[in-house]
Amino acid sequence: MQTQIARDLKRALSKLSSDDNSPGNQSTSSQASKRIRTRTFKGNERFPEFTVGLDGPFMKELKSKLLHGDEQVLNLHGLAGSGKTTLAKILCHDPQVKDKFKDIFFETLGSQFRGNEAIDELQDRLPEFGGNPVLLVLDDVWPASKNVVEEFRVQISAGSKIFVTSRVPIITLGRYPMEQLSEDDAVALFLHFIQPSDIDFDDNEIRKIVLQIVKGCKRLPLALEFIGRELQDKGIEELQKVQLEWSRGQSILDSNSELLAHLQNSLNLLVDESIRECFMDLGLFPEDQKIPVSALIDIWTELYNLDELGICAMTIIRKLMDLNLAAGIKVRRIVRIRRVEDNYYNNHFLVQHDLFRELAIHISNQELFENRKRLIIDMNGNDHPQWWPQQNQQEGITAHALSYFTKWFKDPNQKCVSARILSISTDQDINPDWCNVQADDAIVLVLNLRTTKYTLPEFIKQMRNLRVLIVTNYGFRPSELKNLELLEFLRKLKRIRLEGVSVPPLCRLKNVCKLSLYMCEVKKAFETSSIEFSKAMPGLVELNIDYCKDLAKLPSGLCDTTTLRKLSISHCNEFNELPQEIGKLEKLELLRISYCPDIKDMPESITKLKNLSFLDITYCGSLRKLPDKIGELRSLRKFYMPSCAIMELPDSIKDMDNLQSVICDEYTYPFWEVIKYIHSGLNIKIAKTMDTVLDWLLDLSSRGLFH
């Protein structure tokens, strides 16, 4: 052992000496300069022993930007352990990069950066390199030290570049998100770390096990390395054990404390406790699925008393995006020049990396069961969570098991579960009588389905504090929802969002103030209900209907819902008429009828909506004229009407004294330009017809209707 250490030390000293005396490293500067040179990439950083997925178009683009681009600073950002540092080292070893940049410096800053001596030293010595191009690689830069990047940018000479890796975007321009490994590359990386091994990985059955483990690692290089090294030199039984544990719902984070600590370090970016809580709420939705922003707004409004418009919620979401704790927002574009000034987020979706979802769930599960803020239940067939009471799988849930499980939620002699949020995910094999719980304190219930038929469980009627219900079906066909009448027992229920379900006939929901229907079948609910809409939901304030293909007309009695303030209908291709009685909605402030190509007429009674401040009729291609007295909408401030068949405006338009913003197409712009002479403060924007059509096609593509 001593001989081995002495030999390694001698080799290291010899290597440092040869690097310092080489022609590329010789200098007449002081000893401090030599210390800087030993921090260069070529003298100090280890070349990655094995890499995958770093020779494709993305790498070529980064290399091209580094060699020939105008950007002085390039920022590669992505999840912890996604391979950013490895990619940076590969770039530094590239012959063309080394040929252009005679001096390459590689320094890791990290989260604890406080006046790094090497950085200070390098800043002092930069002028000595003259006009020679220098490449500075600043690895793992956290927001607290981003000013270092700007200081270097000012000091380096023309032709020099700064390459920054970070978990979150550090600069405004020149940002490049790290790409995820493909499945083949992830398998290759996993097999590299697990070998040598006597296992035959060419065997089809073993290959399936490997693929499931790789899927459990979420194709994250760091996770693949950790798990691969743990299984190195192990037998096939060890792989089967990991596969079995993960298939039963155990997370990769439960068995790997080092990976857990690495990911938890990312949460140090969340200084604000309220934002941390919102991050934890992202785990309420299934992995590999888009999270509706409108659902988050509903949840956070009731849980954390945020504003109704979603302004604070969007601020939090953008913060999570900036910190890469949410992978990004997918927006199904409607009109590209339209802003979110009307706070319309029904087509905004958030995407989260699966490992961060598991991290949120893992942290939630660390609390005592009866004290958890969130109870997240993933039910796949008969595979129940680990904390589920033991039962006979053949006989289903026994009475004893039900009693045992129920007492966790409510027992006169024990504490009730304090969970304010209950999230239940089920697959197509779930038994509708799978449980009978009591969660009286729950404010939010999230049901994630994958079945063509779903019966709301009986325990819902006991959730007397429930304010928000989110039901989302992720299957290919709408889920037939039954037992909706249970909601009549919930006196505090205020917000309901249904997606991908076949809505049954309406029941009495007296306190519901917001109803959102997304990609639902609504004909049965709107046309066959024995209860008029105004009596079913007499306190409704907001109604959103999006992508409901069987909606032809609004339900009977809707116009008697005098509390309604927002009515939004978009992308309903069969919708062809507004009720003549719409003028009875005296409190209506927002009316959106967009991307409904069969709408031909707008009833005259719309002119009675004296409180209407926002009107959107975008892409109503069959709408040829506006009511003659539309100018009586004196409260109207925003009017969006691109891609309609309207060729002229009524004279009464000039009477809209409060109109501030108009979006139209090139055909109606001349008419609005005349109005602008009357109302000088009017802001008019033109949406070109082709832009609107392209947005429509992009929207269809985003829903997978074509590529």
Side-chain angles (χ1 to χ4, degrees):
M1 180 74 70
Q2 290 175 341
T3 303
Q4 180 74 24
I5 293 173
R7 185 179 65 180
D8 292 345
L9 180 59
K10 186 175 181 179
R11 286 182 176 176
L13 291 172
S14 175
K15 174 65 175 173
L16 288 175
S17 176
S18 63
D19 285 337
D20 285 340
N21 294 324
S22 64
N25 275 347
Q26 288 179 356
S27 173
T28 59
S29 302
S30 64
Q31 184 65 26
S33 178
K34 289 185 179 180
R35 289 200 301 272
I36 295 173
R37 292 303 180 104
T38 61
R39 297 179 191 275
T40 63
F41 183 87
K42 50 197 173 189
N44 204 34
E45 289 295 331
R46 179 172 61 89
F47 186 78
E49 60 181 11
F50 181 79
T51 61
V52 293
L54 298 180
D55 54 356
F58 181 64
M59 179 61 125
K60 293 178 181 178
E61 179 186 6
L62 280 178
K63 178 180 172 182
S64 176
K65 295 290 184 182
L66 200 60
L67 295 175
H68 312 296
D70 296 329
E71 297 162 338
Q72 194 175 26
V73 181
L74 280 72
N75 182 195
L76 177 67
H77 60 91
L79 293 175
S82 59
K84 304 182 296 297
T85 300
T86 300
L87 186 148
K89 292 178 179 180
I90 296 295
L91 275 175
C92 290
H93 270 289
D94 185 274
Q96 290 179 285
V97 174
K98 290 198 291 186
D99 183 62
K100 176 171 182 176
F101 302 104
K102 304 304 180 183
D103 290 282
I104 300 176
F105 296 87
F106 192 107
E107 190 67 38
T108 301
L109 274 64
S111 60
Q112 301 301 320
F113 172 77
R114 291 292 186 276
N116 187 306
E117 291 183 3
I119 294 295
D120 295 339
E121 206 171 328
L122 183 56
Q123 287 176 328
D124 293 338
R125 307 298 299 182
L126 270 180
E128 296 185 10
F129 298 106
N132 294 328
V134 175
L135 174 60
L136 305 180
V137 180
L138 303 178
D139 185 42
D140 194 20
V141 178
W142 283 52
S145 53
K146 64 181 180 181
N147 61 308
V148 174
V149 179
E150 180 60 23
E151 291 174 5
F152 272 126
R153 189 191 66 79
V154 174
Q155 294 184 44
I156 61 175
S157 60
S160 294
K161 292 292 181 73
I162 303 175
F163 191 85
V164 177
T165 73
S166 59
R167 299 183 185 185
V168 303
I170 297 296
I171 60 176
T172 304
L173 302 175
R175 303 190 301 191
Y176 298 90
M178 185 70 186
E179 291 188 338
Q180 187 182 29
L181 289 180
S182 67
E183 184 178 271
D184 290 341
D185 287 336
V187 169
L189 187 61
F190 175 71
L191 294 180
H192 165 76
F193 289 116
I194 201 175
Q195 292 176 351
S197 173
D198 296 331
I199 301 174
D200 180 12
F201 291 107
D202 293 327
D203 182 85
N204 287 335
E205 292 302 317
I206 296 177
R207 186 76 175 180
K208 290 179 181 178
I209 295 175
V210 170
L211 287 174
Q212 288 180 328
I213 294 177
V214 167
K215 181 181 179 182
C217 293
K218 317 303 180 187
R219 288 187 273 170
L220 189 70
L222 181 69
L224 293 167
E225 179 177 356
F226 283 155
I227 300 302
R229 292 192 187 279
E230 282 189 357
L231 294 173
Q232 196 173 44
D233 296 327
K234 298 294 194 301
I236 182 61
E237 294 82 7
E238 295 293 333
L239 272 72
Q240 291 173 327
K241 180 183 177 183
V242 172
Q243 176 204 22
L244 182 62
E245 289 174 347
W246 290 0
S247 67
R248 289 176 174 175
Q250 182 175 344
S251 168
I252 182 177
L253 302 179
D254 295 330
S255 57
N256 197 298
S257 58
E258 189 177 352
L259 176 61
L260 173 62
H262 199 89
L263 291 178
Q264 281 182 320
N265 190 35
S266 300
L267 297 188
N268 293 337
L269 296 167
L270 295 177
V271 180
D272 192 326
E273 184 63 26
S274 63
I275 298 180
R276 182 185 177 91
E277 289 296 317
C278 291
F279 163 77
M280 301 286 288
D281 291 336
L282 300 186
L284 303 173
F285 299 87
E287 64 179 13
D288 299 325
Q289 298 293 342
K290 292 189 286 289
I291 302 172
V293 167
S294 58
L296 293 175
I297 292 174
D298 286 338
I299 292 172
W300 294 345
T301 298
E302 296 299 330
L303 278 179
Y304 311 126
N305 296 318
L306 301 187
D307 63 283
E308 294 276 347
L309 296 177
I311 297 173
C312 294
M314 287 304 298
T315 302
I316 293 172
I317 286 173
R318 291 194 174 95
K319 180 67 173 178
L320 293 174
M321 289 172 54
D322 290 341
L323 297 177
N324 270 345
L325 296 174
I329 277 204
K330 303 294 184 183
V331 183
R332 291 173 180 170
R333 306 294 296 276
I334 297 187
V335 178
R336 274 182 279 182
I337 65 170
R338 177 188 298 172
R339 300 176 181 177
V340 290
E341 296 169 347
D342 57 326
N343 305 107
Y344 179 65
Y345 303 109
N346 287 19
N347 293 297
H348 290 58
F349 295 85
L350 199 60
V351 180
Q352 185 184 39
H353 194 280
D354 293 343
L355 269 181
F356 277 121
R357 178 182 185 265
E358 293 196 15
L359 177 62
I361 294 174
H362 180 88
I363 295 174
S364 293
N365 292 347
Q366 297 310 298
E367 300 174 338
L368 292 175
F369 187 87
E370 60 272 17
N371 293 332
R372 291 180 189 174
K373 298 177 183 177
R374 301 166 189 81
L375 186 59
I376 301 174
I377 305 173
D378 289 334
M379 300 290 295
N380 296 311
N382 291 321
D383 294 332
H384 302 124
Q386 290 183 340
W387 43 262
W388 193 274
Q390 296 295 321
Q391 59 188 19
N392 187 327
Q393 297 292 337
Q394 300 297 325
E395 299 176 358
I397 301 177
T398 65
H400 173 71
L402 276 175
S403 174
Y404 182 61
F405 182 61
T406 302
K407 76 176 183 179
W408 279 350
F409 283 84
K410 189 173 183 180
D411 188 302
N413 301 318
Q414 296 186 16
K415 293 181 179 179
C416 292
V417 165
S418 59
R420 303 178 70 201
I421 311 171
L422 180 60
S423 171
I424 303 173
S425 299
T426 64
D427 64 3
Q428 62 272 16
D429 299 322
I430 191 66
N431 186 328
D433 299 324
W434 64 271
C435 70
N436 182 24
V437 303
Q438 291 177 284
D440 293 353
D441 294 331
I443 294 175
V444 175
L445 174 61
V446 178
L447 298 176
N448 304 308
L449 317 178
R450 287 185 179 274
T451 176
T452 55
K453 293 183 179 181
Y454 186 79
T455 302
L456 293 178
E458 288 289 331
F459 71 81
I460 286 183
K461 67 181 180 182
Q462 303 296 331
M463 303 177 71
R464 305 194 185 280
N465 289 305
L466 191 68
R467 300 180 200 168
V468 182
L469 174 64
I470 310 291
V471 182
T472 306
N473 172 39
Y474 295 95
F476 292 106
R477 296 175 57 189
S479 178
E480 185 178 345
L481 201 61
K482 297 182 178 180
N483 233 8
L484 193 69
E485 58 271 13
L486 292 177
L487 303 183
E488 293 184 354
F489 293 89
L490 308 179
R491 302 302 181 190
K492 295 184 179 181
L493 184 61
K494 296 172 61 178
R495 301 167 185 270
I496 299 176
R497 186 185 191 276
L498 307 179
E499 178 175 346
V501 303
S502 178
V503 186
L506 299 174
C507 59
R508 297 184 184 276
L509 303 170
K510 295 184 178 180
N511 295 301
V512 170
C513 63
K514 182 178 180 181
L515 176 64
S516 300
L517 305 174
Y518 195 94
M519 297 183 71
C520 292
E521 291 182 352
V522 299
K523 189 171 184 178
K524 186 184 298 184
F526 286 176
E527 298 185 15
T528 64
S529 291
S530 58
I531 308 174
E532 283 193 358
F533 195 91
S534 59
K535 295 180 179 179
M537 284 176 274
L540 194 67
V541 175
E542 181 174 351
L543 175 61
N544 299 307
I545 307 174
D546 300 278
Y547 297 94
C548 295
K549 60 182 180 181
D550 65 340
L551 176 69
K553 59 182 180 180
L554 291 174
S556 173
L558 173 68
C559 295
D560 293 322
T561 310
T562 55
T563 56
L564 197 65
R565 295 187 179 184
K566 294 182 179 180
L567 175 59
S568 178
I569 302 172
S570 72
H571 295 84
C572 297
N573 293 339
E574 300 298 323
F575 186 66
N576 53 46
E577 66 173 327
L578 281 170
Q580 294 295 326
E581 301 85 1
I582 195 170
K584 295 167 66 176
L585 299 175
E586 297 179 353
K587 294 184 178 180
L588 197 66
E589 299 172 0
L590 180 149
L591 177 61
R592 177 183 292 103
I593 310 294
S594 63
Y595 284 75
C596 297
D598 281 355
I599 287 284
K600 296 180 174 61
D601 298 302
M602 187 172 289
E604 285 288 340
S605 67
I606 197 175
T607 61
K608 297 180 180 179
L609 302 177
K610 304 303 181 183
N611 289 306
L612 193 68
S613 61
F614 183 95
L615 177 60
D616 184 358
I617 54 173
T618 297
Y619 209 83
C620 292
S622 299
L623 186 60
R624 299 185 178 277
K625 60 175 295 187
L626 296 173
D628 291 335
K629 297 182 179 180
I630 196 170
E632 294 183 6
L633 298 176
R634 300 292 179 85
S635 298
L636 197 67
R637 293 186 294 109
K638 298 176 183 178
F639 190 9
Y640 296 168
M641 55 172 295
S643 296
C644 295
I646 298 171
M647 301 303 295
E648 60 179 339
L649 301 177
D651 292 338
S652 63
I653 285 283
K654 65 180 184 298
D655 297 328
M656 293 183 176
D657 300 330
N658 293 302
L659 194 61
Q660 300 173 2
S661 177
V662 170
I663 297 178
C664 61
D665 51 35
E666 56 266 35
Y667 303 109
T668 54
Y669 178 75
F671 300 102
W672 283 111
E673 197 173 28
V674 173
I675 303 298
K676 191 173 182 179
Y677 285 107
I678 302 174
H679 304 294
S680 57
L682 184 61
N683 182 20
I684 304 174
K685 297 178 182 177
I686 301 177
K688 296 182 180 179
T689 303
M690 185 54 65
D691 286 344
T692 310
V693 173
L694 286 174
D695 282 320
W696 177 61
L697 295 175
L698 285 170
D699 176 74
L700 294 178
S701 177
S702 71
R703 289 188 285 147
L705 299 183
F706 67 87
H707 297 285

